[in-house]
Amino acid sequence: MAGLWVGAAALVGAGRRGRRLPQPLMRSSALWTLKHVPHYSRQHLMVSRSLCSAGYDSNEKTFDKILIANRGEIACRVIKTCKKMGIKTVAIHSDVDASSVHVKMADEAVCVGPAPTSQSYLNMDAIMEAIKKTRAQAVHPGYGFLSENKEFAKCLAAEDVIFIGPDTHAIQAMGDKIESKLLAKKAKVNTIPGFDGVVKDADEAVRIAREIGYPVMIKASAGGGGKGMRIAWDDEETRDGFRFSSQEAASSFGDDRLLIEKFIDNPRHIEIQVLGDKHGNALWLNERECSIQRRNQKVVEEAPSIFLDSETRRAMGEQAVALAKAVKYSSAGTVEFLVDSKKNFYFLEMNTRLQVEHPVTECITGLDLVQEMIRVAKGYSLRHKQADIPINGWAVECRVYAEDPYKSFGLPSVGRLSQYQEPIHLPGVRVDSGIQPGSDISIYYDPMISKLITYGSDRTEALKRMEDALDNYVIRGVTHNIALLREVIINSRFIEGDINTKFLSDVYPDGFKGHKLTENERNQLLAIASSLFVAFQLRAQHFQEHENSRVPIIQPQVANWQLSVKLHDEVHTVVASNSGPTFSVEVDGSKLNVTSTWNLASPLLSVSVDGTLRTVQCLSREAGGNMSIQFLGTVYKVHILTKLAAELNKFMLQKAAEDTSSILRSPMPGVVVTVSVKPGDVVAEGQEICVIEAMKMQNSMTAGKTGKERTVVPVLRSLPGCLLVSRKGR
């Protein structure tokens, strides 16, 4: 929720190129944020707003009131620009989103239905009624939901309400992947070989896949965002892919049509941002590198791409503009390409909306894309020429999700944010979010927590700032993917630019396991954990005497704390002593000095270990010696006891682990879409038991071993939609 965009001209520090936003505008821009978001401090908001770089001409009249037909971070993002432009805003929300940040930020808010998206954010009748009720002159759809729905745009036009996006012809032409591919060919844009029609059924899908040659990509004709997409390497996967893709497409976009094309193995995913107006002008605003993906959804993006040279960049940009002009495109849009190792590029699709990753483009160009969309919708011409579009510096975006990265690189997690603190106190950091402490991450919507963006004069600086920002990001109450994000940006292949869309599976063939500690890093962690343990013990011993009551306490004076520290099933002998803020720690014979302010009430702790600065988070601490510490992005569980306690602990009985070999549990809360077995069935290992839909994705759950089904229970304890299947194993 913090910050708009980090512009090349507005960053803290000297030596940046470009125009600096006038100071009076920067100060006034912060005031509205303070009014509408009381949960954040003045310093927090002033820092975030000072990163704004795109000015606004107050004499240029646009709209009096805009309704945002979306939720979460993108709704907040649009509202911020509207406030800057002096435009009143209307938020829509489902009943479970009534207390959401975007609702609080808007001038007005209207409930459009219950939690399921089909009954709220996709409910066109309810949204149209909200428009009439509030007399909004225009609608910004954000991304997802109705942003690429031509029928919604037609409904708005029929009521003389402006759709802040392209016209219905462009939405129809580019939103339909089949038609867009034909138009791309006509506009002389490089395209991927494939079937240009609609696939009718699974049998036809198999026939077409064989003709094209495996592997193939099965994907929804409408929509995007990785929904309704499957890669198939054989006939069986094609049949399964057709079934799941059509179901996801119908659920997400209300359109189950599919197409099939050749899957280009090991490509890069690079997209071109375009901007057009209603007067025939169109620009390309450079590229975004989006190759780091899981399940066809982007995880890390950056601008520009380390891979492209100026000649390839220009060729891609010119083809993207040619396609935009071919459909008379008038708004912000994105043309996506697959690029092979020889820099051959092929048209993938065009998204006729604002992209999730648009902030990185704003960083390197200094443009506010939402502002440009509003101007164009009002009928103004573009203010810039192609020669005016710069590449100033480097920007990186990490999508912070409520996901468990140790399960398929990110299975959704749900919960309530018990503590939440964005790292915008750091230079060159922007955070786009729509949450606050106490917000719920539910099963109904996308699990994104925020978009974390860092900007630097070059790629090295931007990545270092991202590393620091991830270490300083406090998220408690839900499982998150910060460990994975941090590992990606420090990976040697990523730093060298050796990436493709299979990066995660190539680098982590056995799944993500967290940061692998070097011996020096392990000793640093053990030294920090031991110092924290002693610091907590010393604080517990401290007794504040009351004025009228004295309780005699004999406090032991311990010169050296002899500790037993267990990490990864290995026990280490540690001796710690302190002198003021510095602890001298000996770990398995190696001596380290650990210095900090030891503010144990703070969620973040800055520590110096022999001069090396680390930011750590103590997530939990138990009286029995268990401690969870977030170190280098990964959460490590350590067990610390004094030497005496460790010796006595050997006599404690260990709790036996539960035998779950005959039980299949859903790894996440969700809705049971189908159950493929019944009690008494004999199932084989790998056979599908059920399909769980969670956060817009369908997941097939399969048997872990051969057995006979005993019971099928659709609800497991208090977790809605979870499935419990018990079987008698063989």
Side-chain angles (χ1 to χ4, degrees):
M1 204 199 69
L4 264 179
W5 51 94
V6 182
L11 251 296
V12 177
R16 306 288 190 264
R17 294 169 287 175
R19 296 181 292 110
R20 185 175 293 277
L21 187 65
Q23 292 298 320
L25 180 56
M26 290 168 63
R27 287 194 290 269
S28 64
S29 296
L31 295 179
W32 62 260
T33 313
L34 289 169
K35 174 183 176 183
H36 288 271
V37 192
H39 296 277
Y40 290 82
S41 68
R42 175 176 293 274
Q43 180 184 7
H44 178 117
L45 293 165
M46 287 300 292
V47 169
S48 68
R49 295 299 303 157
S50 69
L51 298 178
C52 173
S53 67
Y56 170 65
D57 182 0
S58 59
N59 295 319
E60 195 174 72
K61 302 300 181 183
T62 53
F63 304 103
D64 296 325
K65 186 184 291 186
I66 291 177
L67 182 143
I68 296 95
N70 217 297
R71 66 178 299 277
E73 68 86 11
I74 188 58
C76 295
R77 167 68 187 88
V78 175
I79 290 172
K80 289 171 185 175
T81 289
C82 289
K83 296 290 186 182
K84 180 185 71 173
M85 299 176 70
I87 301 171
K88 291 182 179 180
T89 55
V90 179
I92 62 168
H93 64 89
S94 64
D95 52 10
V96 297
D97 273 346
S99 298
S100 295
V101 174
H102 78 282
V103 173
K104 297 177 181 179
M105 287 181 65
D107 297 291
E108 301 175 59
V110 180
C111 182
V112 290
T117 56
S118 60
Q119 301 175 49
S120 52
Y121 296 103
L122 291 174
N123 187 344
M124 282 192 279
D125 291 338
I127 295 173
M128 293 303 299
E129 186 61 31
I131 294 167
K132 294 175 183 177
K133 179 180 178 180
T134 59
R135 298 183 180 180
Q137 298 168 313
V139 172
H140 196 299
Y143 55 74
F145 294 135
L146 297 172
S147 62
E148 295 176 285
N149 189 304
K150 65 180 183 298
E151 297 303 323
F152 181 56
K154 288 179 181 178
C155 288
L156 294 176
E159 297 294 333
D160 292 325
V161 177
I162 302 298
F163 179 76
I164 301 177
D167 61 27
T168 54
H169 167 68
I171 296 174
Q172 166 66 36
M174 292 294 98
D176 187 311
K177 292 181 176 63
I178 297 171
E179 186 176 349
S180 66
K181 189 173 180 180
L182 295 174
L183 284 168
K185 286 182 177 180
K186 189 175 181 180
K188 298 183 179 179
V189 177
N190 304 342
T191 58
I192 302 171
F195 179 68
D196 295 333
V198 178
V199 183
K200 297 177 181 178
D201 52 39
D203 290 336
E204 186 178 38
V206 169
R207 180 181 61 78
I208 293 170
R210 289 174 177 174
E211 292 175 358
I212 296 173
Y214 288 109
V216 297
M217 172 68 83
I218 304 169
K219 59 185 181 181
S221 177
K227 306 294 191 303
M229 296 178 66
R230 290 290 191 283
I231 300 168
W233 295 82
D234 54 38
D235 292 355
E236 183 180 355
E237 290 186 1
T238 299
R239 293 183 185 279
D240 288 342
F242 180 88
R243 176 164 63 102
F244 287 125
S245 293
S246 59
Q247 289 173 356
E248 286 179 6
S251 174
S252 298
F253 316 117
D255 185 343
D256 63 357
R257 292 177 304 145
L258 302 177
L259 72 153
I260 299 179
E261 59 190 19
K262 180 69 176 178
F263 174 67
I264 298 176
D265 203 12
N266 298 323
R268 287 174 177 263
H269 183 133
I270 300 177
E271 61 191 29
I272 301 291
Q273 177 71 58
V274 296
L275 183 64
D277 62 24
K278 300 179 186 299
H279 306 280
N281 303 306
L283 304 171
W284 50 275
L285 308 181
N286 303 310
E287 79 279 4
R288 294 187 288 258
E289 172 72 72
C290 306
S291 298
I292 307 299
Q293 303 180 3
R294 52 99 179 90
R295 298 192 298 274
N296 300 310
Q297 289 183 310
K298 303 158 191 172
V299 179
V300 179
E301 303 101 344
E302 59 183 311
S305 168
I306 194 174
F307 184 64
L308 295 189
D309 53 53
S310 57
E311 183 179 345
T312 307
R313 176 179 295 114
R314 185 182 305 107
M316 293 176 69
E318 289 175 351
Q319 286 199 17
V321 166
L323 182 59
K325 288 186 174 181
V327 292
K328 299 180 180 179
Y329 196 85
S330 57
S331 190
T334 299
V335 181
E336 299 188 349
F337 293 94
L338 291 181
V339 185
D340 66 20
S341 59
K342 297 181 180 179
K343 297 183 180 178
N344 298 310
F345 57 91
Y346 305 93
F347 171 72
L348 184 62
E349 64 183 7
M350 182 176 188
N351 292 313
T352 58
R353 53 171 167 80
L354 193 65
Q355 289 281 84
V356 175
E357 59 274 15
H358 75 273
V360 292
T361 296
E362 294 180 328
C363 288
I364 67 168
T365 62
L367 297 178
D368 178 348
L369 293 182
V370 174
Q371 179 180 325
E372 297 302 322
M373 292 177 74
I374 293 172
R375 291 186 68 259
V376 168
K378 186 61 177 177
Y380 290 108
S381 299
L382 297 181
R383 296 181 292 177
H384 307 282
K385 303 296 183 183
Q386 190 63 58
D388 300 331
I389 306 303
I391 297 181
N392 284 336
W394 211 284
V396 180
E397 174 180 291
C398 285
R399 299 192 189 187
V400 182
Y401 282 103
E403 291 181 338
D404 185 348
Y406 300 95
K407 297 177 180 178
S408 302
F409 300 111
L411 284 184
S413 168
V414 297
R416 177 166 295 174
L417 290 166
S418 58
Q419 196 168 9
Y420 182 72
Q421 183 176 309
E422 296 172 347
I424 62 164
H425 61 284
L426 301 176
V429 174
R430 165 181 170 178
V431 184
D432 283 14
S433 72
I435 58 174
Q436 61 190 6
S439 292
D440 288 319
I441 307 296
S442 73
I443 65 172
Y444 299 108
Y445 310 116
D446 189 272
M448 180 185 286
I449 294 174
S450 73
K451 300 181 304 195
L452 177 63
I453 306 103
T454 56
Y455 172 86
S457 58
D458 55 29
R459 190 170 187 258
T460 300
E461 184 178 41
L463 289 175
K464 182 61 176 69
R465 286 177 167 174
M466 179 61 74
E467 186 179 336
D468 293 340
L470 289 167
D471 284 341
N472 282 270
Y473 208 148
V474 178
I475 303 171
R476 310 281 173 83
V478 296
T479 305
H480 54 73
N481 67 333
I482 281 180
L484 174 62
L485 296 173
R486 195 183 190 282
E487 284 304 293
V488 168
I489 65 167
I490 67 171
N491 184 273
S492 58
R493 274 188 55 181
F494 181 84
I495 292 172
E496 294 166 3
D498 179 17
I499 59 178
N500 55 52
T501 56
K502 293 176 63 179
F503 177 87
L504 291 179
S505 59
D506 287 347
V507 174
Y508 309 106
D510 299 322
F512 179 66
K513 306 296 183 184
H515 181 72
K516 186 177 181 180
L517 295 169
T518 63
E519 182 179 355
N520 183 50
E521 290 171 345
R522 183 204 64 191
N523 289 344
Q524 287 183 5
L525 172 60
L526 293 173
I528 292 171
S530 300
S531 299
L532 274 169
F533 176 84
V534 175
F536 277 117
Q537 295 297 318
L538 292 174
R539 186 181 71 169
Q541 289 178 5
H542 179 74
F543 185 83
Q544 179 104 20
E545 293 184 349
H546 293 284
E547 185 175 336
N548 298 321
S549 65
R550 291 173 176 266
V551 179
I553 290 182
I554 300 175
Q555 297 186 3
Q557 298 297 321
V558 180
N560 294 304
W561 292 74
Q562 297 185 12
L563 306 175
S564 174
V565 185
K566 186 177 181 180
L567 173 68
H568 295 156
D569 295 326
E570 294 183 355
V571 178
H572 304 268
T573 300
V574 177
V575 179
S577 62
N578 78 300
S579 176
T582 299
F583 283 85
S584 295
V585 185
E586 184 177 324
V587 180
D588 295 336
S590 299
K591 295 184 178 180
L592 302 93
N593 291 317
V594 184
T595 304
S596 178
T597 59
W598 303 110
N599 180 1
L600 303 181
S602 172
L604 295 170
L605 194 64
S606 180
V607 180
S608 172
V609 185
D610 287 341
T612 301
L613 295 178
R614 301 292 189 192
T615 299
V616 300
Q617 300 183 38
C618 183
L619 304 181
S620 66
R621 183 179 65 91
E622 300 174 1
N626 292 317
M627 187 182 296
S628 293
I629 298 177
Q630 186 171 311
F631 176 71
L632 301 178
T634 296
V635 177
Y636 296 93
K637 294 182 178 181
V638 295
H639 188 235
I640 307 178
L641 295 173
T642 62
K643 184 178 180 181
L644 175 60
E647 291 174 354
L648 296 175
N649 192 57
K650 297 175 183 178
F651 300 100
M652 298 293 291
L653 295 176
Q654 298 295 321
K655 182 179 179 180
E658 180 186 6
D659 181 10
T660 60
S661 61
S662 296
I663 297 174
L664 177 65
R665 284 195 178 100
S666 172
M668 74 199 103
V671 177
V672 179
V673 179
T674 59
V675 177
S676 306
V677 297
K678 63 183 182 295
D681 286 354
V682 175
V683 298
E685 180 179 348
Q687 180 179 335
E688 179 180 286
I689 303 299
C690 65
V691 175
I692 301 290
E693 182 175 300
M695 296 170 171
K696 302 182 182 180
M697 296 293 289
Q698 292 196 358
N699 303 275
S700 174
M701 296 189 62
T702 59
K705 66 177 184 179
T706 299
K708 186 175 183 179
E709 299 300 339
R710 285 182 175 174
T711 59
V712 179
V713 185
V715 178
L716 172 60
R717 296 192 181 100
S718 61
L719 297 181
C722 280
L723 184 87
L724 173 76
V725 177
S726 92
R727 67 176 63 82
K728 183 177 180 180
R730 287 184 176 178

